[in-house]
Amino acid sequence: MGATSVSSKVERVDPAGPGPATEGSEDTAAAPAPGRLSALRTPKRPRLWFELLLIALSYGVYSVIRNAAPTRVEQAQDHARWIWDVQDAMGLAFERSVNHAIESVTWLIVSMNYYYATLHFVVTIAVLVWLFRSHPGRYGATRLVLFATTGVALLGYYFYPLAPPRLMEGMDFIDTASVHHTWGSLSAEGSAMASVSNQYAAMPSMHIGWSLWCGVTIFVLARPLWVKVLGLLYPAVTLLVIVATANHFWLDAVGGLICLAFGYAVARLWYGASCYRLPRRVGAPGQEEPRVQPS
C-alpha cells in the first residue's frame, strides 16, 4: 500500500502527464510576450552613443520631410491671408505693429534675429544634456514628448503650407534678418539658408513647441527658483521674438502648443505616467528597473 500510494502521488504531479499541470505549463510558456512589451515601456538608463545617433537621424529625417513638402506659394499666401483675417476679426492682429515697433530699435531687433536663429537649437540640446545627466530615468519619456511633438508638426508643414508674415504679399511686414543682414535670414535670395529651408513651413511653430517643452521641463524638474523663472520666461520671450521678426503669426504658436500637448499624451500613454513622475534614476542596462506607478 505504501508503494502504491507513493506512485500515485508521483503520477499526479508529473508535469509530462495530462491534466491541469500540463495546461499550466503551456500558459507559462506563452507569457513572455507581455513581459517584453512591459520592458520596452519601463524607464532605462540612456546610452550616450545611441542617443547621439537617434537625435542626429531624427533631425535629418525631420529636415528632409519638412523641406520636401511641395512649395505651393499661392496656397501658402491664401492661408496667411485667412489667418490674418481671423486674427483681425478677433481684434488680435497685432504682429505688424510689434514688428515695426521693435525693428526701429536696432540693437534689440538684431539680438532677436540671432536669438531666433540659434537658441532654438542651443537651449533644446542643453535641456536634453541636462536630462541625460541629472534625470536619466525621465530622459527617455521626456525625449519621446519632444520627438512626438516634432513628428506631428510635419503633418502641418506638409498639408498646410503657410507664408510667414515677412513673406506676405502687400502687408508691409519687415524681414528683420534680411534688412539688418544678420545671420539666419531665410528669405534673402541666393542665401544658403533660403536654399535649404522650406520657406512656407510656418504652421505650427516649433520655436514655440520646443521652447515650451524646454520651459515646462525646466520649471517642473529644476530646483532653484531663479532657474524655474527662466524656464517660464524662455517660451514667453520666444513668442515675442517670432512675432517681432515676422517669422510667425501668434496662431502658429497655438499650433505649436497643440503639437506639444499631443507629444505629452503619447508619452503618458506609453509609459503609463507623466514623464516628470517617473523615477529620477534607474539601474544600469540589464539590471531590474523600478516599477512605474501610474499617476
Side-chain angles (χ1 to χ4, degrees):
M1 281 295 289
T4 305
S5 176
V6 171
S7 175
S8 175
K9 291 180 181 178
V10 171
E11 289 175 2
R12 282 198 298 271
V13 299
D14 183 5
T22 303
E23 294 174 3
S25 177
E26 291 175 352
D27 290 343
T28 303
R36 288 194 292 270
L37 178 60
S38 178
L40 289 174
R41 300 176 64 186
T42 301
K44 295 179 177 60
R45 181 180 297 177
R47 295 176 173 86
L48 180 59
W49 68 267
F50 177 78
E51 294 304 323
L52 292 175
L53 180 62
L54 180 63
I55 290 172
L57 288 176
S58 299
Y59 184 73
V61 171
Y62 163 76
S63 298
V64 168
I65 295 176
R66 181 179 187 271
N67 297 329
T71 303
R72 293 163 285 185
V73 178
E74 184 176 351
Q75 191 175 9
Q77 290 288 342
D78 289 342
H79 288 162
R81 174 62 67 178
W82 183 85
I83 284 184
W84 179 260
D85 290 343
V86 168
Q87 295 186 168
D88 189 44
M90 298 169 63
L92 294 173
F94 51 75
E95 288 90 346
R96 186 167 51 192
S97 298
V98 174
N99 174 237
H100 282 252
I102 296 182
E103 197 279 334
S104 63
V105 185
T106 302
W107 68 267
L108 181 56
I109 196 60
V110 169
S111 299
M112 287 187 172
N113 288 338
Y114 285 119
Y115 180 114
Y116 183 86
T118 60
L119 291 193
H120 180 51
F121 303 102
V122 173
V123 176
T124 304
I125 292 173
V127 172
L128 282 170
V129 171
W130 172 60
L131 285 169
F132 184 92
R133 291 174 58 87
S134 300
H135 298 267
R138 297 161 179 158
Y139 175 87
T142 314
R143 183 248 291 139
L144 176 60
V145 174
L146 184 66
F147 279 25
T149 298
T150 306
V152 75
L154 292 173
L155 297 176
Y157 299 149
Y158 197 92
F159 294 106
Y160 195 83
L162 176 67
R166 60 185 171 78
L167 292 182
M168 280 187 73
E169 297 173 351
M171 290 298 294
D172 194 31
F173 279 98
I174 301 170
D175 184 346
T176 59
S178 180
V179 168
H180 293 279
H181 306 289
T182 49
W183 180 85
S185 174
L186 298 177
S187 56
E189 292 187 9
S191 70
M193 291 293 291
S195 64
V196 298
S197 178
N198 181 355
Q199 301 271 34
Y200 301 102
M203 171 64 87
S205 169
M206 279 299 95
H207 273 74
I208 292 300
W210 288 14
S211 67
L212 272 171
W213 174 86
C214 292
V216 171
T217 300
I218 292 170
F219 179 76
V220 174
L221 297 182
R223 291 183 178 179
L225 179 60
W226 67 271
V227 177
K228 290 179 176 289
V229 171
L230 286 179
L232 292 178
L233 286 176
Y234 177 50
V237 174
T238 299
L239 177 59
L240 176 61
V241 167
I242 67 172
V243 170
T245 57
N247 279 290
H248 288 283
F249 299 99
W250 67 263
L251 273 177
D252 300 343
V254 174
L257 175 61
I258 293 171
C259 290
L260 181 63
F262 172 82
Y264 277 112
V266 169
R268 177 66 175 81
L269 288 172
W270 180 253
Y271 285 95
S274 164
C275 57
Y276 304 123
R277 293 177 61 87
L278 296 174
R280 178 176 180 176
R281 298 191 180 278
V282 291
Q287 295 181 354
E288 184 177 351
E289 307 290 347
R291 187 179 299 276
V292 177
Q293 295 297 330
S295 59

